[in-house]
Amino acid sequence: MTQITLRRPDDMHLHLRDGAMLEAVLPETARHFARAIIMPNLVPPVVTARDAAAYRDRILAALPDGMAFDPLMTLYLTEATDPADVAAAHASGLVKAVKLYPAGATTNSQSGVRDFDKVRGVLEKMAEIGLPLCVHGEVTDSDIDIFDREAVFIDRVLDPIRRATPGLRVVMEHVTTKDGIDYIGETEKNLAGTITTHHLIINRNHILAGGIRPHYYCLPVAKRELHRLALREAATSGDKRYFLGTDSAPHPDHLKEHACGCAGCFTATNTMALLAHVFGEEGALDRLEGFTSNHGAAFYGLPANEDRITLEKTTTPARFPAKIDTGAGTITVFDPGFPVHWQVRD
Ligand code: DOR
Ligand code: ZN
């Protein structure tokens, strides 16, 4: 196969930030993607319907002329979130999901949830109205090894929440373990998982062996090879419960290349080419469209995009910018560490 045409994809987990960073990274996504689920972990976070409406306006104002893009807004769940505000934001069509960050789990998660009983009322309301909960699935207990935090979260937090509120529709985001894949695989209803591009490509050795590579550090951190292989199998299986959420998360280089570096891989620019490479390696190019363009829309009850994009196989390695200058500092584009022979046709 030397070219493949897909429905225009959606990114069901994306960090766009705000201000100068937003202006620089938004075109990188909008060039290839029709829509994205927009993460609310700004400072301060996007907590209320009013916050989400204002952020959506800022995103649309930052979109270059001639580009189309539909930001699918989310609310950041706090212990003070008002179920009525969430319901109104959903009813108006503004908000497509609520995001649960366990407090302290990742970038700007300080306002997240400590006591899960305190959000029970919101979760019940969401189950009633069919509004999905997007979950950052890691416990934050200091005695739990960082490589075990996802598996422990499933047992201690996710499964109890789902048992207490079985009608709640949940997206386990950026799954990084075979444990996560097994948990989703056992479940018939109301549970899906997003998988990032970078977790299909790197394992923990890529971050740590032979020198520390800060641009591969993200959360949840990449795990052992056996987990990467389980993610690849799930993503390329054609199973509708798995879809793309890149978690593309820009941080300026000086904060990545730092004694206490920020978590996040910036993959918006080359995600589609990298996914064509990965799906090609797995002999699953015919399943790429399901993963990037159909399964996520179906889970969120959105119409499939009518527009198409074409990926072409290249004879010489495709060239991507190594870095992008932004008004908030230079950012580094994810480097898979191998030549890629696919590119999106302009
Ligand atoms: O690596 C990550 N970066 N993981 C997250 O959960 C948050 C994100 C960010 O906002 O930088
Ligand atoms: Zn994220």
Side-chain angles (χ1 to χ4, degrees):
M1 210 183 276
T2 57
Q3 70 169 53
I4 176 169
T5 296
L6 316 170
R7 280 187 190 280
R8 190 169 283 278
D10 298 317
D11 182 351
M12 295 312 193
H13 180 136
L14 177 67
H15 297 270
L16 284 177
R17 316 300 190 204
D18 216 341
M21 186 64 88
L22 165 64
E23 270 181 42
V25 301
L26 176 59
E28 298 302 301
T29 287
R31 198 171 292 135
H32 301 156
F33 291 86
R35 303 174 287 206
I37 291 275
I38 308 298
M39 288 298 119
N41 62 335
L42 305 182
V43 187
V46 178
V47 173
T48 64
R50 177 196 280 257
D51 298 337
Y55 186 30
R56 184 170 189 278
D57 288 346
R58 297 200 296 281
I59 294 169
L60 293 176
L63 191 64
D65 287 344
M67 276 188 152
F69 180 69
D70 185 7
L72 308 172
M73 307 309 293
T74 64
L75 298 178
Y76 185 120
L77 182 62
T78 74
E79 291 177 6
T81 294
D82 174 8
D85 184 62
V86 170
H90 171 66
S92 73
L94 171 68
V95 155
K96 299 291 187 256
V98 172
K99 173 75 188 231
L100 165 63
Y101 286 107
T106 187
T107 311
N108 302 330
S109 61
Q110 305 84 329
S111 316
V113 178
R114 288 185 169 77
D115 178 353
F116 292 91
D117 286 336
K118 295 212 172 116
V119 296
R120 177 67 50 80
V122 183
L123 300 185
E124 308 238 312
K125 174 54 83 181
M126 289 169 58
E128 185 190 317
I129 63 180
L131 180 61
L133 180 72
C134 292
V135 176
H136 183 108
E138 290 190 286
V139 292
T140 54
D141 314 50
S142 57
D143 61 326
I144 304 294
D145 190 277
I146 190 164
F147 292 103
D148 298 332
R149 288 181 176 189
E150 182 170 293
V152 173
F153 182 88
I154 294 168
D155 290 343
R156 290 195 190 166
V157 183
L158 183 56
D159 196 56
I161 286 178
R162 294 189 55 254
R163 282 177 197 277
T165 318
L168 183 65
R169 310 191 66 233
V170 176
V171 182
M172 194 175 162
E173 300 199 281
H174 40 53
V175 182
T176 61
T177 56
K178 182 172 184 304
D179 311 67
I181 297 298
D182 289 346
Y183 184 68
I184 294 167
E186 282 162 10
T187 312
E188 288 298 315
K189 250 179 85 181
N190 291 343
L191 182 63
T194 59
I195 300 176
T196 76
T197 307
H198 50 282
H199 287 115
L200 295 172
I201 293 174
I202 58 166
N203 64 32
R204 63 194 200 180
N205 277 17
H206 292 91
I207 313 172
L208 296 169
I212 188 160
R213 291 187 190 74
H215 296 290
Y216 287 162
Y217 173 63
C218 65
L219 288 171
V221 70
K223 310 294 193 297
R224 286 177 182 277
E225 179 65 356
L226 75 90
H227 298 290
R228 187 185 73 98
L229 295 178
L231 298 175
R232 278 206 172 209
E233 194 180 325
T236 59
S237 65
D239 187 322
K240 292 188 166 49
R241 291 172 293 190
Y242 303 106
F243 45 87
L244 175 64
T246 65
D247 199 13
S248 181
H251 292 276
D253 283 345
H254 71 277
L255 297 179
K256 292 285 298 170
E257 298 164 10
H258 190 275
C260 183
C262 294
C265 296
F266 180 72
T267 57
T269 306
N270 52 1
T271 273
M272 289 308 298
L274 297 178
L275 289 173
H277 178 101
V278 166
F279 277 65
E281 277 183 343
E282 301 293 329
L285 276 170
D286 56 327
R287 295 180 179 163
L288 180 59
E289 184 180 51
F291 183 67
T292 61
S293 318
N294 293 332
H295 303 167
F299 182 87
Y300 280 101
L302 301 167
N305 298 314
E306 284 308 326
D307 198 8
R308 301 285 193 279
I309 66 166
T310 297
L311 285 142
E312 296 172 329
K313 210 158 190 179
T314 58
T315 43
T316 52
R319 294 164 67 97
F320 305 105
K323 294 186 183 289
I324 294 177
D325 285 324
T326 85
T330 302
I331 58 176
T332 293
V333 176
F334 180 80
D335 174 359
F338 49 74
V340 175
H341 288 270
W342 286 95
Q343 68 188 19
V344 179
R345 187 198 286 162
D346 290 325

Coordinates of all heavy atoms in Angstrom, one line a residue, residues 306-346:
E306 N -17.0 14.0 7.6 CA -17.2 13.7 6.2 C -16.0 13.9 5.3 O -15.8 13.3 4.3 CB -18.4 14.5 5.6 CG -19.8 14.0 6.0 CD -19.9 12.5 5.7 OE1 -19.4 12.0 4.7 OE2 -20.6 11.8 6.6
D307 N -15.1 14.8 5.8 CA -13.9 15.2 5.1 C -12.9 14.0 5.1 O -13.1 13.1 6.0 CB -13.4 16.4 5.8 CG -12.4 17.2 5.0 OD1 -12.2 16.8 3.8 OD2 -11.7 18.1 5.5
R308 N -11.9 14.0 4.3 CA -10.9 12.9 4.2 C -9.5 13.5 4.3 O -9.3 14.6 3.8 CB -11.1 12.1 2.9 CG -12.5 11.4 2.7 CD -12.6 10.2 3.6 NE -13.7 9.4 3.3 CZ -15.0 9.6 3.7 NH1 -15.3 10.7 4.4 NH2 -16.0 8.7 3.4
I309 N -8.6 12.7 4.7 CA -7.2 13.0 4.6 C -6.5 11.8 3.9 O -6.9 10.7 4.1 CB -6.4 13.4 5.9 CG1 -6.3 12.2 6.8 CG2 -7.1 14.6 6.6 CD1 -5.3 12.4 7.9
T310 N -5.4 12.1 3.2 CA -4.6 11.0 2.6 C -3.2 11.0 3.1 O -2.5 12.0 3.2 CB -4.6 11.2 1.0 OG1 -6.0 11.1 0.6 CG2 -3.8 10.2 0.3
L311 N -2.8 9.8 3.5 CA -1.4 9.6 3.9 C -0.7 8.9 2.7 O -1.2 8.0 2.1 CB -1.3 8.7 5.1 CG -1.7 9.4 6.4 CD1 -2.5 8.5 7.3 CD2 -0.4 9.9 7.2
E312 N 0.6 9.4 2.4 CA 1.3 8.8 1.3 C 2.6 8.2 1.9 O 3.2 8.7 2.8 CB 1.8 9.9 0.4 CG 0.6 10.5 -0.3 CD 1.1 11.7 -1.1 OE1 2.1 12.4 -0.7 OE2 0.4 12.0 -2.1
K313 N 3.0 7.0 1.3 CA 4.3 6.4 1.6 C 5.4 7.2 0.9 O 5.2 7.6 -0.3 CB 4.3 5.0 1.2 CG 5.1 4.1 2.1 CD 4.8 2.7 2.0 CE 5.5 2.0 3.1 NZ 5.3 0.6 3.2
T314 N 6.5 7.5 1.6 CA 7.5 8.3 0.9 C 8.8 7.4 0.7 O 9.0 6.4 1.5 CB 7.9 9.4 1.8 OG1 8.4 8.9 3.1 CG2 6.8 10.4 2.1
T315 N 9.5 7.7 -0.3 CA 10.7 6.8 -0.6 C 11.8 7.3 0.4 O 12.6 6.4 0.9 CB 11.1 6.9 -2.0 OG1 11.1 8.3 -2.4 CG2 10.3 6.1 -2.9
T316 N 12.0 8.6 0.5 CA 13.0 9.1 1.5 C 12.3 9.3 2.8 O 11.0 9.6 2.8 CB 13.7 10.3 1.0 OG1 12.6 11.3 0.6 CG2 14.5 10.1 -0.2
P317 N 13.0 9.3 3.9 CA 12.3 9.5 5.2 C 11.6 10.9 5.2 O 12.1 11.9 4.7 CB 13.4 9.5 6.2 CG 14.5 8.7 5.6 CD 14.4 9.0 4.1
A318 N 10.3 10.9 5.8 CA 9.6 12.1 5.9 C 10.3 13.1 6.9 O 11.0 12.6 7.8 CB 8.2 11.8 6.5
R319 N 10.2 14.3 6.6 CA 10.9 15.3 7.4 C 9.9 16.1 8.2 O 8.9 16.6 7.7 CB 11.7 16.3 6.5 CG 12.8 15.6 5.8 CD 13.3 16.5 4.7 NE 13.9 17.7 5.2 CZ 15.2 17.9 5.3 NH1 16.0 16.9 5.0 NH2 15.7 19.0 5.8
F320 N 10.1 16.2 9.5 CA 9.2 16.9 10.4 C 10.1 18.0 11.1 O 11.3 17.7 11.3 CB 8.6 16.0 11.5 CG 7.9 14.9 10.9 CD1 8.4 13.6 11.0 CD2 6.7 15.1 10.3 CE1 7.8 12.5 10.4 CE2 6.0 14.0 9.7 CZ 6.5 12.7 9.8
P321 N 9.6 19.1 11.5 CA 10.4 20.1 12.2 C 10.8 19.4 13.6 O 10.0 18.7 14.2 CB 9.4 21.2 12.5 CG 8.1 20.7 12.3 CD 8.2 19.5 11.4
A322 N 12.1 19.6 13.9 CA 12.5 19.1 15.2 C 12.0 20.0 16.4 O 11.7 19.5 17.5 CB 14.1 19.1 15.3
K323 N 11.8 21.2 16.1 CA 11.4 22.2 17.1 C 10.4 23.2 16.5 O 10.4 23.4 15.3 CB 12.5 22.9 17.7 CG 13.5 22.0 18.5 CD 14.6 22.8 19.2 CE 15.5 21.8 19.9 NZ 14.9 21.2 21.1
I324 N 9.5 23.7 17.3 CA 8.6 24.8 16.9 C 8.8 25.9 17.8 O 8.8 25.8 19.1 CB 7.2 24.2 16.9 CG1 7.0 23.1 15.9 CG2 6.2 25.4 16.7 CD1 5.6 22.5 15.8
D325 N 9.0 27.1 17.3 CA 9.1 28.3 18.1 C 7.7 28.8 18.5 O 6.8 28.8 17.6 CB 9.8 29.4 17.3 CG 11.3 29.2 17.2 OD1 11.8 28.7 18.2 OD2 11.9 29.5 16.1
T326 N 7.5 29.1 19.7 CA 6.3 29.7 20.2 C 6.6 30.9 21.0 O 7.7 31.1 21.4 CB 5.5 28.7 21.1 OG1 5.9 28.8 22.5 CG2 5.7 27.2 20.7
G327 N 5.6 31.8 21.1 CA 5.8 33.0 21.9 C 6.1 32.6 23.4 O 6.4 33.5 24.2
A328 N 5.9 31.4 23.8 CA 6.1 30.9 25.1 C 7.3 30.0 25.2 O 7.4 29.2 26.2 CB 4.8 30.2 25.7
G329 N 8.2 30.1 24.3 CA 9.4 29.3 24.3 C 9.4 28.2 23.2 O 8.3 27.9 22.7
T330 N 10.5 27.7 22.9 CA 10.6 26.6 21.8 C 10.1 25.3 22.4 O 10.4 25.0 23.6 CB 12.1 26.5 21.4 OG1 12.5 27.8 21.0 CG2 12.3 25.5 20.3
I331 N 9.4 24.6 21.6 CA 9.0 23.2 22.0 C 9.6 22.2 21.1 O 9.9 22.5 19.9 CB 7.5 23.1 22.0 CG1 6.8 23.4 20.7 CG2 6.9 23.9 23.1 CD1 5.3 23.1 20.7
T332 N 9.8 21.0 21.6 CA 10.4 19.9 20.8 C 9.3 18.9 20.3 O 8.5 18.5 21.1 CB 11.5 19.2 21.6 OG1 12.5 20.1 21.9 CG2 12.0 17.9 20.9
V333 N 9.4 18.7 19.0 CA 8.4 17.7 18.4 C 9.0 16.3 18.7 O 10.2 16.0 18.6 CB 8.3 17.9 16.9 CG1 7.5 16.9 16.2 CG2 7.8 19.3 16.6
F334 N 8.0 15.4 19.1 CA 8.4 14.0 19.4 C 9.2 13.4 18.3 O 8.8 13.3 17.2 CB 7.1 13.2 19.7 CG 7.3 11.8 20.1 CD1 7.7 11.4 21.3 CD2 7.2 10.8 19.1 CE1 7.9 10.1 21.7 CE2 7.4 9.4 19.4 CZ 7.7 9.1 20.7
D335 N 10.3 12.8 18.7 CA 11.2 12.2 17.7 C 11.1 10.7 18.0 O 11.6 10.2 19.0 CB 12.7 12.7 17.9 CG 13.7 11.9 17.0 OD1 13.3 11.0 16.3 OD2 14.9 12.2 17.1
P336 N 10.6 9.9 17.0 CA 10.4 8.5 17.3 C 11.7 7.7 17.4 O 11.7 6.6 17.9 CB 9.5 8.0 16.2 CG 9.8 8.9 15.0 CD 10.1 10.3 15.7
G337 N 12.7 8.3 16.9 CA 14.0 7.6 16.9 C 14.2 6.6 15.8 O 15.2 5.8 15.8
F338 N 13.4 6.6 14.8 CA 13.6 5.8 13.6 C 13.0 6.6 12.4 O 12.2 7.5 12.5 CB 12.8 4.4 13.7 CG 11.4 4.5 14.2 CD1 10.4 4.9 13.3 CD2 11.1 4.2 15.5 CE1 9.1 5.0 13.8 CE2 9.7 4.2 15.9 CZ 8.8 4.7 15.0
P339 N 13.5 6.3 11.2 CA 12.9 7.0 10.0 C 11.5 6.6 9.7 O 11.1 5.4 9.9 CB 13.8 6.5 8.8 CG 14.6 5.4 9.3 CD 14.5 5.3 10.8
V340 N 10.7 7.6 9.4 CA 9.2 7.4 9.1 C 9.0 7.6 7.6 O 9.5 8.6 7.1 CB 8.4 8.4 9.9 CG1 6.9 8.3 9.6 CG2 8.7 8.1 11.4
H341 N 8.3 6.7 7.0 CA 8.1 6.8 5.5 C 6.7 7.0 5.2 O 6.2 6.5 4.2 CB 8.6 5.5 4.9 CG 10.2 5.4 4.9 ND1 10.9 5.9 3.8 CD2 11.0 4.9 5.8 CE1 12.2 5.7 4.1 NE2 12.3 5.1 5.3
W342 N 6.0 7.8 6.0 CA 4.6 8.3 5.7 C 4.5 9.7 5.9 O 5.2 10.3 6.8 CB 3.7 7.6 6.7 CG 3.4 6.1 6.3 CD1 4.0 5.1 6.9 CD2 2.5 5.6 5.4 NE1 3.6 3.9 6.4 CE2 2.6 4.2 5.4 CE3 1.6 6.2 4.5 CZ2 1.9 3.3 4.6 CZ3 0.8 5.3 3.7 CH2 1.0 3.9 3.7
Q343 N 3.7 10.4 5.1 CA 3.4 11.8 5.5 C 1.9 12.1 5.0 O 1.4 11.4 4.1 CB 4.4 12.7 4.9 CG 4.4 12.8 3.4 CD 5.5 13.7 2.9 OE1 6.5 13.9 3.6 NE2 5.4 14.1 1.6
V344 N 1.3 13.0 5.7 CA 0.0 13.5 5.2 C 0.1 14.3 4.0 O 1.0 15.3 4.0 CB -0.7 14.2 6.4 CG1 -2.1 14.7 5.9 CG2 -0.8 13.4 7.6
R345 N -0.6 14.0 3.0 CA -0.6 14.9 1.8 C -1.3 16.2 2.1 O -2.4 16.2 2.7 CB -1.4 14.2 0.7 CG -1.2 14.9 -0.7 CD -2.3 14.4 -1.7 NE -2.1 13.1 -2.2 CZ -3.0 12.4 -2.8 NH1 -4.2 12.9 -2.9 NH2 -2.8 11.2 -3.3
D346 N -0.6 17.3 1.7 CA -1.2 18.6 2.0 C -2.4 18.9 1.0 O -2.4 18.5 -0.1 CB -0.1 19.7 1.8 CG 0.9 19.6 2.9 OD1 0.5 19.3 4.0 OD2 2.1 19.8 2.6

